[in-house]
Amino acid sequence: MPRTYDALVVGSGMTGGWAAKELTEAGLNTLVLEAGRMVTTEDYVEHVPPWQMRFRGLDDRRARAADQPVQSECYACDEWSSKFFVNDHENPYATPADKPFLFLRGRQVGGRSIMWGRQTYRWSDLDFEANLRDGIAIDWPIRYADIAPWYDHVERFIGVSGEKLGLPQLPDGQFLPPMDLNCGETLVRDAIAKHWPGERVLTIGRCAILTEDHNGRKGCHYCGYCERGCITLSYFSSLNATLPAARLTGKLTLRPHSVVHSLIYDPQRQRVTGVRVIDGETKHAIEFSGRIVFLCASTLESARILLNSATREFPTGLANSSGELGRNLMDHIMGGGASGKVDAPADRMPVGRRPNGIYLPRFRNLPGRPKSPFLRGYAYQGGAGREGWGRGTDLPGFGADWKRALRDPGPWHFNFYGFGECLPNHDNYVEIDPNLKDAWGIPTLRIHCAYGDNEWALMKDASIAAAEMLAAAGARDIAPFIEHNPPGKVIHEMGTARMGRDPKTSVLNGHNQAHDIPNLFVTDGACMASSANQNPSITYMALTARACAYAVDLMRRREI
Ligand SMILES: Cc1cc2nc3c(=O)[nH]c(=O)nc-3n(C[C@H](O)[C@H](O)[C@H](O)COP(=O)(O)OP(=O)(O)OC[C@H]3O[C@@H](n4cnc5c(N)ncnc54)[C@H](O)[C@@H]3O)c2cc1C
Ligand code: SF4
């Protein structure tokens, strides 16, 4: 195959797929280098019932504990979907003993866009201005107006279903019709609207799942196990949507089993000229060159590639004249909430397996409202449902009556589950571990990351406020909770090559372009200067598309 291209894209997941689509549609011959194997719709198993699985859906727990002890901490890594998560022995990393971090990864064409939860929320200026307002870390170099057209662009292509609310803290988008709330959820929604009018709003989740046919993909049929794939292509993944669009241009070359080791830098021209790759199957080294390089390997893997690309000019990592490469790692905090029984109609049942829940947007520390004793805020996901067979161990009694009682649906339950903002912290960082290499001989990361007091204060408040809202809805047996999840568990890691205006304090400029190397772009979550509380992937996708347009423009003007 040719070794020289207009553009090289590292990674084929959420952001790599977007880079591939935008760059090929702009006419660039683009090589996408993907570390993992090829995946096709043949790999999708969302319709395989438990009784057709070897372990009846209970999983080969011994194998999972042996090969994927970290990955199996993720709810989606089960007997069906564990094949979409990495082998932890082949992909090791280190942490200090007192700072556990869950590094949850997908290594295949499509990356984690295959298993993601598809929750899709825009940021607002409340988020882009937060660092400046609070005097934390550095100011974002962009505002909502810079990214809004790119949110539109991404939403129109991927298809996002949701309800318009007109809330300044959670801008509306280009939505397909929303999914329905069930009767347990409308009961809680109405009670909250009555008690906190104009302040707290419960809505259906905004998600990248089609509620009607869209761009050649079919509307969802509510089978409900999206992390196993989707043969009707009804949810967005790079495999289902952006990579096929890129392929249609005739300009895409996709090379699986291509583990990028490092970037090649020409100090005379002060440009990256290509990448060093280890073939994932033969383990042979091979090089490819391109006029521009887009790093889309994910927040931590892109940082790792840059750290492994140190040169005489950049001894602490390529494009790291600021010293911020690998620093300011964030992951949302989750797990403050409450559950309870609600008095929804006993003669009604949810129909189908709706692959989505409720969303209750941030209501703390909004402009014009009382200040909370912590910074920023949180939002809730969750929902209502009826207990089924699974409640057996909680149901008193035995014998035939007990079995009969189990056949009837149990009470309506409601669960609020909080997701909070994580503040950027210079002391949360990654470095290359001098003693640890992956299965391809590439040095791997040592990750130092812990939540601070502000994150835990958010979860405590989320737990109390959730219990209050359930009480307002007349719920019984209300159980507030705070889970003590380590960072990484939310799988929203971001911030290791942050954007900023000043090259002395940031790695990238406001167009995801390295301050130090004009033909190098990093467009995954590494670029983030703060985390907000919304699920982040749509922001990564919008920033990627925006950076592509900028890079193509610079190339046309022969500036890079
Ligand atoms: C179970 C689960 C639920 C989630 N739910 C949500 C949600 O509801 N909403 C949301 O916004 N986000 C969610 N996320 C997070 C979301 O998946 C990520 O934010 C997103 O996939 C990141 O995109 P990315 O392109 O940076 O990385 P990825 O999608 O992970 O893609 C990176 C790709 O780069 C490849 N790669 C890595 N290193 C190399 C290398 N050295 N050489 C070549 N290729 C390499 C990988 O193999 C991979 O294919 C979820 C994630 C998971 C796992
Ligand atoms: S629930 Fe919908 S989006 Fe999810 S796998 Fe089934 S059809 Fe696809």
Side-chain angles (χ1 to χ4, degrees):
M1 62 186 292
R3 297 289 174 89
T4 302
Y5 296 82
D6 297 327
L8 302 180
V9 176
V10 182
S12 66
M14 196 82 74
T15 57
W18 266 97
K21 170 176 144 30
E22 299 295 292
L23 296 174
T24 53
E25 286 180 349
L28 302 191
N29 274 319
T30 303
L31 172 64
V32 175
L33 294 158
E34 166 53 53
R37 70 181 176 107
M38 189 62 201
V39 172
T40 67
T41 48
E42 307 267 299
D43 291 277
Y44 290 171
V45 285
E46 76 276 18
H47 293 155
V48 179
W51 56 88
Q52 285 177 11
M53 297 300 287
R54 178 149 182 242
F55 293 91
R56 303 295 185 262
L58 297 174
D59 206 359
D60 183 347
R61 281 163 282 177
R62 201 172 297 150
R64 204 69 56 236
D67 296 337
Q68 295 180 302
V70 176
Q71 307 307 310
S72 53
E73 292 286 327
C74 175
Y75 70 92
C77 182
D78 60 12
E79 189 174 347
W80 289 264
S81 301
S82 50
K83 63 184 179 182
F84 296 135
F85 289 81
V86 297
N87 177 304
D88 287 321
H89 298 303
E90 291 177 353
N91 297 279
Y93 65 99
T95 61
D98 61 341
K99 289 190 176 173
F101 183 92
L102 293 176
F103 192 3
L104 300 169
R105 281 173 282 179
R107 217 170 221 232
Q108 62 262 324
V109 173
R112 288 175 296 182
S113 73
I114 297 177
M115 312 87 87
W116 74 311
R118 309 157 303 279
Q119 293 296 304
T120 299
Y121 303 96
R122 291 185 178 208
W123 283 31
S124 72
D125 272 337
L126 182 70
D127 306 305
F128 287 112
E129 291 169 1
N131 282 357
L132 180 66
R133 198 173 42 244
D134 299 334
I136 295 227
I138 55 165
D139 186 19
W140 276 85
I142 58 169
R143 291 292 182 263
Y144 182 66
D146 297 304
I147 195 174
W150 297 99
Y151 278 138
D152 287 344
H153 178 66
V154 168
E155 285 165 351
R156 281 199 193 99
F157 181 77
I158 70 176
V160 175
S161 60
E163 183 190 16
K164 291 196 176 183
L165 298 170
L167 299 175
Q169 75 271 34
L170 193 77
D172 295 328
Q174 307 294 327
F175 295 148
L176 302 177
M179 294 182 187
D180 288 332
L181 294 175
N182 64 38
C183 59
E185 293 159 349
T186 49
L187 181 150
V188 176
R189 178 197 62 190
D190 295 348
I192 291 173
K194 205 166 132 205
H195 279 78
W196 291 274
E199 184 193 328
R200 303 187 194 182
V201 183
L202 189 152
T203 185
I204 186 71
R206 294 173 176 175
C207 67
I209 297 184
L210 307 180
T211 44
E212 58 191 26
D213 295 358
H214 183 76
N215 284 344
R217 294 158 47 218
K218 301 300 281 180
C220 169
H221 53 268
Y222 292 69
C223 65
Y225 294 112
C226 314
E227 63 276 4
R228 300 173 188 173
C230 180
I231 54 167
T232 49
L233 315 182
S234 307
Y235 75 83
F236 170 78
S237 70
S238 61
L239 203 60
N240 290 351
T242 39
L243 291 172
R247 197 167 292 123
L248 272 183
T249 64
K251 299 277 182 184
L252 173 73
T253 306
L254 171 63
R255 191 177 195 279
H257 300 295
S258 304
V259 189
V260 171
H261 174 287
S262 51
L263 306 187
I264 303 165
Y265 178 67
D266 178 351
Q268 258 80 52
R269 293 175 50 223
Q270 297 175 1
R271 298 283 191 273
V272 281
T273 54
V275 298
R276 298 181 194 92
V277 168
I278 309 290
D279 186 288
E281 291 178 306
T282 64
K283 300 201 176 166
H284 289 158
I286 177 167
E287 292 184 359
F288 294 97
S289 49
R291 280 177 64 195
I292 54 171
V293 174
F294 266 67
L295 275 187
C296 300
S298 77
T299 297
L300 292 172
E301 295 289 4
S302 289
R304 176 180 167 204
I305 291 169
L306 291 172
L307 290 166
N308 274 330
S309 307
T311 64
R312 209 151 46 115
E313 300 72 23
F314 296 105
T316 60
L318 196 63
N320 191 25
S321 64
S322 65
E324 294 297 329
L325 178 64
R327 295 266 164 191
N328 314 298
L329 173 60
M330 298 164 273
D331 182 30
H332 288 143
I333 187 163
M334 72 175 180
S339 63
K341 289 180 184 151
V342 290
D343 281 329
D347 59 347
R348 300 182 72 182
M349 278 290 289
V351 178
R353 292 199 196 94
R354 187 191 63 195
N356 192 13
I358 62 100
Y359 193 72
L360 197 146
R362 173 174 162 186
F363 54 90
R364 293 294 191 215
N365 291 321
L366 299 184
R369 301 251 180 93
K371 286 237 171 305
S372 302
F374 45 76
L375 293 171
R376 321 276 168 109
Y378 54 82
Y380 296 103
Q381 297 177 31
R386 295 193 73 169
E387 292 180 353
W389 295 101
R391 74 188 193 283
T393 47
D394 296 332
L395 196 69
F398 61 92
D401 286 347
W402 183 77
K403 285 195 225 161
R404 215 168 293 123
L406 259 191
R407 283 209 303 239
D408 293 330
W412 279 93
H413 259 262
F414 195 100
N415 187 47
F416 275 120
Y417 197 77
F419 286 77
E421 177 154 0
C422 175
L423 295 178
N425 173 354
H426 200 253
D427 295 333
N428 285 338
Y429 69 101
V430 299
E431 60 183 343
I432 296 297
D433 187 299
N435 304 314
L436 201 56
K437 290 187 174 164
D438 68 13
W440 299 271
I442 304 175
T444 80
L445 293 178
R446 171 165 284 264
I447 303 172
H448 307 251
C449 190
Y451 293 128
D453 293 343
N454 199 68
E455 285 83 36
W456 291 116
L458 286 171
M459 287 300 94
K460 188 171 170 207
D461 193 73
S463 176
I464 296 166
E468 279 170 4
M469 289 190 284
L470 287 173
R476 289 167 287 120
D477 299 341
I478 297 172
F481 56 82
I482 301 179
E483 295 171 358
H484 289 272
N485 295 308
K489 178 110 177 180
V490 186
I491 329 177
H492 293 166
E493 69 286 350
M494 55 184 114
T496 48
R498 69 184 178 193
M499 278 186 173
R501 296 192 186 87
D502 185 351
K504 291 201 191 70
T505 57
S506 56
V507 180
L508 307 172
N509 68 16
H511 285 101
N512 296 72
Q513 181 185 30
H515 286 297
D516 295 334
I517 306 174
N519 67 337
L520 172 62
F521 293 80
V522 184
T523 70
D524 53 35
C527 72
M528 306 292 275
S530 68
S531 77
N533 64 69
Q534 298 90 318
N535 306 57
S537 301
I538 189 164
T539 299
Y540 305 167
M541 291 192 261
L543 288 173
T544 301
R546 180 171 173 270
C548 288
Y550 181 74
V552 168
D553 192 40
L554 289 183
M555 285 174 91
R556 289 206 176 117
R557 288 195 271 124
R558 303 233 148 243
E559 288 180 28
I560 53 173

